[in-house]
Amino acid sequence: MRVTQSMLSGNLLRNLSNSYAKLGKIQEQVNTGKKVTRPSDDPVTAMKGINYRTELNNVEQFSRNIGEAYNWLDTTDDTFDKVGSALQRASELMVQASSDTTTPDDREKIDAELNQLREHIRSLANTKIGDSYIFSGTKTNTAPFNVTTNKYEAPKDENKPTDSKDPLNKPIEIEVFDGINIQINTTPIQLFRDIDDMFDKISKDIKNEVSGSELSSHITAIDNIMGKILTTRADIGARQNRVELMDARLQSQEVIATSRMSENEDIDYEKAITEMITQESIHRAALSVGGRIIQPTLVDFLR
């Protein structure tokens, strides 16, 4: 077989072109830090990368949901803490008012402070996160206590004030993991109505100057309400603990997903740089050999 100069030149150019392509690919990997920059480089690695990235995006979204759950539950618990403090003060005032040594003027002053506590609890019932009222069920645009009518929002059915089908009592759930939802709101609007009715009865009895023994009955009513608040806070605390457990699980899942994605996509810099230096040496050798095997031309002899 006769080997011509054009064959040698063609093979040389083709090999140099392949060498340039390999060198360019390794250099691109070093620049980007990724094994593949397009699906055609390695379809299997690219497909796995899409799956790992989707998993990581889901974990990040669930983490944002966890943050929202923390916000609602912490705000709710803090609000009930303040309601409990107000009722504790109301109980102390009723102990004073029920004493037979308390004068009508003193009871009038007590009634004035009780009215302020009533207004304070009404304002707590209208607690908001952003633009959402947290105690209105799914009617987050509606304030539980209407300052215009000076009344709490009425249930759809007065005979079923805690009906779960009533939007004011519907739970708001948020997904914190695949298929796992946690209720982030509390629906105590009937509890707030009971508190308001209790304050109304206390005020009427003080104004009617009933006896101290009759006023003392309201202390038991306040204690019963405070018991309900403690029960509600216990439920909130249980959900807070569940959210903390899910948060820890998500943090571990994020680390695992990130590690998998890195192992699948990221290059080993030491190995890549070694390959680049090796390929560069091969390329230089190819250029040197090519310069020797190509026949000299007349121009070379005219130097």
Coordinates of all heavy atoms in Angstrom, one line a residue, residues 62-96:
F62 N -39.7 22.0 50.9 CA -40.3 21.5 52.2 C -39.6 22.3 53.3 O -40.3 22.6 54.3 CB -40.0 20.0 52.4 CG -40.8 19.1 51.5 CD1 -40.2 18.0 50.9 CD2 -42.1 19.5 51.2 CE1 -41.0 17.2 50.0 CE2 -42.9 18.6 50.3 CZ -42.3 17.5 49.8
S63 N -38.4 22.7 53.2 CA -37.7 23.5 54.3 C -38.4 24.8 54.4 O -38.5 25.4 55.5 CB -36.2 23.6 54.0 OG -35.6 22.3 54.0
R64 N -38.7 25.4 53.2 CA -39.4 26.7 53.3 C -40.8 26.5 53.9 O -41.2 27.4 54.7 CB -39.6 27.3 51.9 CG -38.2 27.8 51.3 CD -38.5 28.6 50.0 NE -38.8 27.7 48.9 CZ -38.0 27.2 48.1 NH1 -36.7 27.4 48.2 NH2 -38.4 26.4 47.1
N65 N -41.5 25.4 53.6 CA -42.7 25.2 54.3 C -42.6 25.0 55.8 O -43.5 25.4 56.6 CB -43.4 23.9 53.7 CG -43.8 24.1 52.2 OD1 -43.8 25.2 51.7 ND2 -44.2 23.0 51.6
I66 N -41.5 24.3 56.2 CA -41.2 24.2 57.6 C -41.1 25.6 58.3 O -41.6 25.8 59.4 CB -40.0 23.3 57.8 CG1 -40.2 21.9 57.5 CG2 -39.4 23.5 59.2 CD1 -41.0 21.2 58.6
G67 N -40.4 26.5 57.6 CA -40.2 27.8 58.1 C -41.6 28.5 58.3 O -41.8 29.2 59.3
E68 N -42.5 28.3 57.4 CA -43.8 28.9 57.5 C -44.6 28.3 58.6 O -45.3 29.0 59.4 CB -44.6 28.7 56.1 CG -45.9 29.4 56.1 CD -45.9 30.9 56.0 OE1 -44.7 31.4 55.8 OE2 -46.9 31.5 56.1
A69 N -44.4 27.0 58.8 CA -45.1 26.3 59.9 C -44.6 26.8 61.2 O -45.4 27.0 62.2 CB -44.9 24.8 59.8
Y70 N -43.3 27.0 61.3 CA -42.7 27.5 62.6 C -43.3 28.9 62.9 O -43.6 29.2 64.0 CB -41.2 27.7 62.4 CG -40.3 26.5 62.8 CD1 -39.4 26.0 61.9 CD2 -40.5 25.9 64.0 CE1 -38.6 24.9 62.3 CE2 -39.7 24.8 64.4 CZ -38.8 24.3 63.5 OH -38.0 23.2 63.9
N71 N -43.4 29.7 61.8 CA -43.9 31.1 62.0 C -45.3 31.1 62.6 O -45.6 31.8 63.5 CB -43.9 31.8 60.6 CG -44.1 33.3 60.8 OD1 -44.0 33.9 61.9 ND2 -44.3 34.0 59.7
W72 N -46.2 30.3 62.0 CA -47.6 30.2 62.4 C -47.7 29.6 63.8 O -48.4 30.2 64.7 CB -48.4 29.4 61.4 CG -48.9 30.1 60.2 CD1 -48.1 30.6 59.2 CD2 -50.2 30.5 59.9 NE1 -48.9 31.2 58.3 CE2 -50.2 31.2 58.7 CE3 -51.5 30.3 60.5 CZ2 -51.4 31.7 58.1 CZ3 -52.6 30.7 59.9 CH2 -52.6 31.4 58.7
L73 N -47.0 28.5 64.1 CA -47.2 27.9 65.4 C -46.5 28.7 66.5 O -47.1 28.8 67.6 CB -46.5 26.5 65.3 CG -47.2 25.5 64.5 CD1 -46.4 24.2 64.3 CD2 -48.6 25.1 65.0
D74 N -45.4 29.3 66.2 CA -44.8 30.1 67.3 C -45.6 31.4 67.6 O -45.7 31.8 68.7 CB -43.3 30.5 66.8 CG -42.4 29.4 66.8 OD1 -42.7 28.3 67.3 OD2 -41.3 29.5 66.2
T75 N -46.1 32.0 66.5 CA -47.0 33.2 66.7 C -48.2 32.8 67.5 O -48.7 33.5 68.4 CB -47.3 33.8 65.4 OG1 -46.2 34.2 64.7 CG2 -48.2 35.1 65.6
T76 N -48.8 31.7 67.2 CA -50.0 31.2 67.8 C -49.8 30.9 69.3 O -50.5 31.4 70.2 CB -50.6 29.9 67.2 OG1 -50.9 30.2 65.8 CG2 -51.9 29.5 67.9
D77 N -48.7 30.3 69.6 CA -48.3 29.9 71.0 C -48.1 31.2 71.8 O -48.5 31.4 72.9 CB -47.1 29.0 71.0 CG -46.8 28.6 72.4 OD1 -47.6 28.0 73.1 OD2 -45.7 28.8 72.9
D78 N -47.3 32.2 71.2 CA -47.1 33.4 71.9 C -48.3 34.2 72.1 O -48.5 34.8 73.2 CB -46.1 34.3 71.0 CG -45.8 35.6 71.6 OD1 -45.1 35.6 72.7 OD2 -46.2 36.6 71.1
T79 N -49.3 34.2 71.2 CA -50.5 34.9 71.4 C -51.3 34.3 72.5 O -51.9 35.0 73.4 CB -51.4 34.8 70.1 OG1 -50.7 35.4 69.0 CG2 -52.7 35.6 70.3
F80 N -51.4 33.0 72.6 CA -52.1 32.3 73.7 C -51.4 32.5 75.0 O -52.1 32.6 76.1 CB -52.3 30.8 73.4 CG -53.5 30.5 72.6 CD1 -53.4 30.1 71.3 CD2 -54.8 30.7 73.1 CE1 -54.5 29.9 70.5 CE2 -55.9 30.4 72.4 CZ -55.8 30.0 71.1
D81 N -50.1 32.7 75.0 CA -49.4 33.0 76.2 C -49.9 34.4 76.8 O -50.1 34.5 78.0 CB -47.9 33.0 76.0 CG -47.1 33.4 77.2 OD1 -47.2 32.6 78.2 OD2 -46.4 34.4 77.2
K82 N -50.0 35.3 75.9 CA -50.5 36.7 76.3 C -51.9 36.6 76.7 O -52.3 37.4 77.6 CB -50.3 37.6 75.1 CG -48.8 38.0 74.8 CD -48.7 38.9 73.7 CE -47.2 39.4 73.5 NZ -46.3 38.3 73.3
V83 N -52.8 35.8 76.1 CA -54.2 35.7 76.5 C -54.2 35.1 77.9 O -55.0 35.5 78.8 CB -54.9 34.8 75.5 CG1 -56.3 34.4 76.1 CG2 -55.1 35.4 74.2
G84 N -53.4 34.1 78.1 CA -53.3 33.5 79.5 C -52.9 34.5 80.5 O -53.4 34.5 81.7
S85 N -51.9 35.3 80.2 CA -51.5 36.3 81.1 C -52.6 37.3 81.5 O -52.8 37.7 82.6 CB -50.3 37.1 80.6 OG -49.2 36.2 80.4
A86 N -53.4 37.7 80.4 CA -54.5 38.6 80.6 C -55.6 38.0 81.5 O -56.1 38.6 82.4 CB -55.1 39.0 79.3
L87 N -55.8 36.7 81.3 CA -56.8 36.0 82.1 C -56.3 35.8 83.6 O -57.1 35.9 84.5 CB -57.2 34.7 81.5 CG -58.0 34.7 80.2 CD1 -58.2 33.3 79.6 CD2 -59.4 35.4 80.5
Q88 N -55.0 35.6 83.7 CA -54.5 35.5 85.1 C -54.7 36.8 85.8 O -55.1 36.8 87.0 CB -53.0 35.2 85.0 CG -52.3 35.0 86.3 CD -52.9 33.8 87.1 OE1 -53.1 32.7 86.6 NE2 -53.1 34.0 88.4
R89 N -54.5 37.9 85.1 CA -54.7 39.2 85.8 C -56.2 39.4 86.1 O -56.6 39.9 87.1 CB -54.2 40.3 84.8 CG -54.5 41.7 85.4 CD -53.9 42.0 86.7 NE -54.2 43.3 87.2 CZ -54.0 43.7 88.5 NH1 -53.6 42.8 89.4 NH2 -54.3 44.9 88.9
A90 N -57.1 39.0 85.2 CA -58.5 39.1 85.4 C -58.9 38.2 86.6 O -59.8 38.7 87.4 CB -59.3 38.6 84.2
S91 N -58.3 37.1 86.8 CA -58.6 36.2 88.0 C -58.2 37.0 89.3 O -58.9 37.0 90.3 CB -57.8 34.9 87.9 OG -58.1 34.1 89.0
E92 N -57.0 37.6 89.2 CA -56.6 38.4 90.4 C -57.5 39.5 90.7 O -57.8 39.8 91.9 CB -55.2 38.9 90.2 CG -54.1 37.8 90.0 CD -52.8 38.4 89.6 OE1 -52.7 39.6 89.4 OE2 -51.8 37.6 89.4
L93 N -58.0 40.2 89.7 CA -58.9 41.3 89.9 C -60.3 40.8 90.5 O -60.9 41.4 91.3 CB -59.2 42.0 88.6 CG -58.0 42.8 88.1 CD1 -58.3 43.4 86.7 CD2 -57.6 44.0 89.0
M94 N -60.7 39.6 90.0 CA -62.0 39.1 90.5 C -61.9 38.6 92.0 O -62.8 38.7 92.7 CB -62.4 37.9 89.6 CG -62.9 38.3 88.3 SD -64.2 39.7 88.4 CE -65.4 38.9 89.3
V95 N -60.7 38.2 92.4 CA -60.5 37.8 93.8 C -60.6 39.1 94.6 O -61.3 39.0 95.7 CB -59.1 37.2 94.0 CG1 -58.8 37.1 95.5 CG2 -59.0 35.8 93.3
Q96 N -60.1 40.2 94.1 CA -60.3 41.5 94.9 C -61.7 41.9 94.9 O -62.3 42.3 95.9 CB -59.4 42.5 94.2 CG -57.9 42.3 94.3 CD -57.1 43.4 93.6 OE1 -57.6 44.6 93.5 NE2 -56.0 43.1 93.1

